[in-house]
Structure formats: C-alpha cells, structure tokens
C-alpha cells in the first residue's frame, strides 16, 4: 500500500531494526520460560519433598519428557529450520536436568554404594555436574517410600545424609546463574559463541521460584 511504502521510506530501514528488536524480545521471553521450566523440573525431581516418589522405572518417561522439552524450545520445522532458541543453548540449559534423570535410572544399590564408596572422589555439591553425593542422596530419598532398600539406607545413614544435604541446601541452585552468568554458554560451547554473545546483550526475564515450593532435602531425611 501507499501508506506502507511511505512508512518504509520514512523509516529508512527502521522496519528491519524493528523486526530484529522483536526477535530479541521474543527470544528473551522464550529463554525466560525455558529457564523457569528447567528450574521447576530440577526442584521437583530433587527437592520435591517426601510425597514425591520416583523409582527407576520412571526414568524412561522422564527422558522422553526432557527430549520433548528440548524439541519444543528449539521448534524445528519439517525442513529442519529452527524457529525457537539455538539448539546448543537449549541443550546446555537442560543438560544438568538430563543428567539428573539418568541418575534416577540407576538401581538403588548402585546409588548407595557410590555415595559411600566414592566419598573421597565425588564432590558433595556442584552447580553444573549432576553426579554429586548430594544428588545421589536426594535421588535415594525420593524413592525411600517405595523401595525398602532405599528406606533402610536413609535410616542407617541419616546423619551422614543430613551433613551432605545441608551443604547442598546452603547453595541455592539457579539455572539462570549456572547457564548465563559470566558468559557461561560462551565458555562451554565453541560452536555456541554467537548464542552466548546474543544472550549477554539481549533483554533478560528474571525468573524466581518461591522458596516455599522447595523442600530442603536435609529436612526430608526426618520423614523416614
């Protein structure tokens, strides 16, 4: 239309800038939702309280859920074109969640043996690596109501579990800080350098999860 042509002429290319700005805002919004979803899932699986019970048989379904989550936020069409966030970014934000689900697939005997036998090698906590003694303990806690071996381990190692989990409780886990502070994506992914550069300058949605939604794991040990 004449109006559109006049607007384009007056804008001197402003339409392209507006489109770029809208794209950045959209990505910031989608990124905020991705962070919130991953944060919520990690807390449900690790700090869901004594009423949430997960057994190894749940792991395959949870793995499917993580894969669906990744596919949703990448939003690749039938031709393979990405319409969401970069795949490298989505994978890095959700990789710890995937590692937690893989921990949940392990049998109770292996989890408890590693908690005890690898005490000198495994870190109690780690902001990125899911394979820690605190996470081993939390996975065991979430199956204690359904697994006699897990319940017996919690009962016999209660004080030890509490010491480890209190250290974990003292270090709140933030998906956003883990993945975006200090250009973490840039540091961890050579192919994702442009992703990290974009996230450092793009608008960010601040996502917080109310503390009431999280049950400190050291308190859950008292339930068994």
């Amino acid at each position: 239309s004449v109006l559109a042509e006049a607007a384009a002429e007056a804008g001197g290319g402003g339409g392209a800038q507006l489109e770029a700005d809208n794209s950045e805002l959209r990505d910031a919004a989608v990124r905020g939702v991705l962070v919130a979803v991953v944060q919520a899932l990690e807390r449900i699986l690790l700090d869901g309280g004594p009423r949430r019970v997960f057994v190894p048989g749940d792991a395959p379904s949870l793995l499917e859920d993580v894969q669906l989550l990744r596919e949703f936020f990448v939003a690749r069409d039938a031709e393979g074109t990405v319409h969401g966030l970069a795949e490298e970014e989505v994978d890095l934000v959700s990789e710890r969640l995937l590692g937690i689900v893989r921990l949940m697939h392990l049998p109770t005997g292996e989890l408890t043996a590693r908690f005890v036998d690898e005490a000198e090698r495994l870190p109690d906590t780690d902001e990125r690596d899911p394979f820690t003694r605190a996470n081993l303990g939390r996975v065991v806690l979430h199956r204690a109501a359904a697994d006699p071996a897990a319940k017996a381990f919690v009962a016999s190692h209660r004080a030890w579990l509490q010491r480890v989990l209190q250290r974990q409780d003292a270090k709140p886990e933030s998906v956003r800080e883990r993945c975006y502070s200090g250009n973490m994506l840039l540091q961890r992914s050579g192919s994702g350098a442009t992703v990290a550069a974009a996230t450092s300058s793009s608008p960010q949605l601040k996502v917080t999860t109310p503390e009431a939604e999280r049950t400190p794991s050291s308190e859950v040990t008292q339930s068994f």
Side-chain angles (χ1 to χ4, degrees), residues 42-121:
E42 287 190 8
R43 288 190 172 180
I44 287 170
L45 297 179
L46 294 177
D47 297 311
R51 294 186 179 182
R52 292 193 184 274
V53 179
F54 300 104
V55 295
D58 295 324
S61 295
L62 292 170
L63 283 172
E64 291 180 9
D65 289 343
V66 175
Q67 186 57 40
L68 287 173
L69 174 79
R70 287 179 159 185
E71 292 173 359
F72 177 81
F73 282 97
V74 173
R76 195 185 301 277
D77 63 21
E79 285 72 39
T81 303
V82 172
H83 295 280
L85 299 175
E87 187 169 10
E88 295 92 340
E89 179 177 1
V90 175
D91 286 351
L92 284 168
V93 172
S94 60
E95 69 174 353
R96 184 173 182 270
L97 174 63
L98 180 62
I100 291 167
V101 173
R102 287 172 173 161
L103 270 184
M104 296 171 69
H105 192 270
L106 297 177
T108 299
E110 183 171 350
L111 293 173
T112 56
R114 291 189 173 190
F115 183 92
V116 174
D117 298 340
E118 301 183 28
E120 298 299 324
R121 187 179 70 82

Side-chain angles (χ1 to χ4, degrees), residues 6 10 38:
V38 171

Side-chain angles (χ1 to χ4, degrees), residues 147-167:
D147 183 341
K151 185 173 183 177
F153 180 82
V154 173
S156 61
H157 294 77
R158 192 183 309 276
W160 195 357
L161 280 165
Q162 283 184 319
R163 285 196 299 272
V164 172
L165 296 178
Q166 282 170 351
R167 297 185 192 110

Side-chain angles (χ1 to χ4, degrees), residues 7-9 11-24:
E9 182 70 21
Q17 181 61 47
L18 179 61
E19 183 177 348
D21 291 344
N22 287 340
S23 178
E24 287 188 4

